[in-house]
Structure formats: C-alpha cells, structure tokens
Amino acid sequence: MKVTYRLLVFALSLFVAIPDLLAWGQKGHDVTCEIAERHLDRGARKAVKRLLEGKSMVYWGNWLDNASHTDEYAYTKTWHYKNIEAGVKYEDAQLEPQGDVVTAINRQVMTLKDKMTSTESKRLALKMLIHLVGDLHQPMHMGRKADLGGNLWMVMYFGKEKKLHGIWDTDILEGGHKWSYEEWATEIDCINRKQRKEICRGTVDDWAQETYTIASEVYNCTPQQSKLSYDYQARWIPVIEQQLLKGGVRLAYLLNEIF
C-alpha cells in the first residue's frame, strides 16, 4: 500500500513538472479553425475536405498537442512555440535546432504546395498547419526562453497560484465569454474585406514578431506573483479576441494560397 502511494505521488510530481504545450486550450483552437473554415474559397474548401476525409478543421484543431506526446510525433515538441530570451530582438533570436513554430509552419506550407508530395504526407501537413497557426497567435508561445514561455512565471489569478502560460491558454478566454466556439467565431469575425486583407499582410515571421511584441507587453504588466482578477481579464480579453480572429483569417489565407 505504501509503495503504491509513493508511486502515485512520484507520478503526480512528474506530471506537474511537465511544461504546458497547449495554446488557447481546446476552445481557442476550435475558434481559430471555425473562423478559418468560414473564409475558405471554393477550391480550398474542397481540397481541405478531401485531405481531412470529410472531417472539419475543428475536429483536428487540437490533435497535434496530443500527438506531440507520442513516440511517433515526438519530433514536433518544439514546433509549438518560439521562445526568445528577454531583451533579445526577434530577428536576433537563437534558432531551435529541432525547429520552432515559425519554421514548422513554413515547412507544412511547402509540403502542401509540392505537387510531388504524397496525399498522406499532405494530410499530415494539413493537420499540423491547422494547429500551428493557432499556436503562433498565443502570446506565451512567443514568450521568454528562461521561464519556458510563462510556464515558470507564477501569478495569483483570482486568489489561486497559476502559471502565466496557463491563464493565457484558457482562463482569460473562458472568463471573458461563456460562448461555444461557434458563438465566439460569429461574435468576433465581423470585419470587412479590406480589414481581412490588412490582417494577412506580411510573412509568417511578421505575424510571429507581432505576437512577440504582445508577449513583451504581457510580461511588462504582469510581474511574478501579481494578483490578477477582473481588471486584468478586461484588459486582455480584446487582445485574445484579436489574436483568435487573426489566427483564423490567416490560416484561411494560407490555405487559399496553397490550394
């Protein structure tokens, strides 16, 4: 009995020590994918449906978070983020040897554009791209390397000690609106064609640098052990809405360009 208890405690301690890799949690990825699907043109919609074998992008939105923990896809663990040391400019950031979210997105786009690539490889690339574009727009996935993108940056959120990364994944989003992912998409996706075109300007690196700027602002206004509640939530919910919208619109833009 004592051995079993000790094993349980040990297992739990390992679980707590594992850094969060999620971006936006399930709801955020669902919103991003739902918005993207609403902006696909006819050709892209047909190609995506064929590659995903009839399932929606929402269905696959969070797949890579789970897959990255398996032996088969362990090589993708560093693809969810691009952590940069404090004070380092985006363009001067040290590259992750195994790849980061920016290089991973560009790699999937190249695979999907390559006419010589097999259908199976394109199917995998699409599943990954769907998730990674969402990750790119979660500020803590462009967070500091020293604290693992906010995983070691502890704050008090409504009286409970939590990781800064974690509250950006889910807590602020869920605290802002108790909507389904369809309701989220409908409420925030209300821009015109000119605004969509502006959102899609630049490269994946430009989009990442934009998120990195937001991450720097988050750190500056959130010292460790900060006591956060309604004021903090109200300040950042509009930014989360903006990032979810941009993620969805840009994902659709990439797919429309590819197909």
Side-chain angles (χ1 to χ4, degrees), residues 31-251:
V31 174
T32 298
C33 290
E34 175 67 18
I35 291 173
E37 288 194 323
R38 296 183 184 193
H39 289 282
L40 292 178
D41 61 29
R42 185 177 298 178
R45 188 179 302 278
K46 184 177 179 180
V48 168
K49 185 176 182 179
R50 175 176 58 83
L51 284 174
L52 297 183
E53 300 178 294
K55 290 185 171 64
S56 70
M57 290 200 290
V58 173
Y59 180 91
W60 292 106
N62 205 47
W63 170 77
L64 191 59
D65 269 335
N66 296 317
S68 292
H69 291 287
T70 67
D71 291 339
E72 184 177 5
Y73 298 108
Y75 64 90
T76 68
K77 284 184 178 179
T78 64
W79 290 12
H80 299 257
Y81 55 85
K82 183 181 176 70
N83 290 162
I84 302 172
E85 296 289 3
V88 176
K89 293 181 179 179
Y90 175 86
E91 56 271 23
D92 296 330
Q94 185 177 359
L95 295 177
E96 171 61 51
Q98 301 302 316
D100 57 44
V101 66
V102 176
T103 58
I105 288 173
N106 287 328
R107 188 179 303 178
Q108 308 324 305
V109 170
M110 289 177 63
T111 297
L112 288 165
K113 284 184 174 181
D114 187 353
K115 294 181 180 179
M116 302 302 293
T117 301
S118 69
T119 297
E120 193 59 36
S121 293
K122 288 187 176 183
R123 180 172 294 121
L124 177 60
L126 178 57
K127 292 176 185 177
M128 290 181 172
L129 183 65
I130 286 169
H131 182 86
L132 295 171
V133 174
D135 282 355
L136 183 74
H137 291 83
Q138 206 277 51
M140 288 297 98
H141 279 244
M142 300 298 298
R144 294 174 181 171
K145 195 169 185 178
D147 57 66
L148 306 179
N151 277 294
L152 303 179
W153 196 274
M154 306 306 295
V155 296
M156 299 300 295
Y157 189 73
F158 286 93
K160 294 182 179 180
E161 188 175 49
K162 292 195 172 188
K163 302 172 184 178
L164 181 61
H165 188 112
I167 69 170
W168 272 86
D169 275 343
T170 302
D171 292 306
I172 302 174
L173 185 155
E174 294 287 5
H177 307 292
K178 300 299 183 183
W179 296 333
S180 66
Y181 72 84
E182 296 101 329
E183 289 171 323
W184 263 95
T186 298
E187 294 297 334
I188 68 177
D189 185 13
C190 52
I191 55 176
N192 58 39
R193 182 177 298 180
K194 182 179 179 181
Q195 290 170 315
R196 288 199 300 272
K197 187 175 180 180
E198 185 62 32
I199 285 174
C200 295
R201 287 185 185 278
T203 64
V204 176
D205 263 306
D206 293 326
W207 304 342
Q209 189 163 6
E210 181 183 87
T211 304
Y212 175 61
T213 299
I214 296 172
S216 298
E217 294 174 2
V218 172
Y219 278 110
N220 289 339
C221 81
T222 319
Q224 292 204 58
Q225 296 303 319
S226 295
K227 295 181 179 180
L228 313 177
S229 60
Y230 294 104
D231 288 346
Y232 190 85
Q233 193 167 268
R235 173 175 180 175
W236 291 108
I237 285 172
V239 175
I240 286 177
E241 293 176 358
Q242 165 192 285
Q243 290 302 100
L244 291 173
L245 175 61
K246 287 182 175 180
V249 170
R250 286 168 175 169
L251 175 56

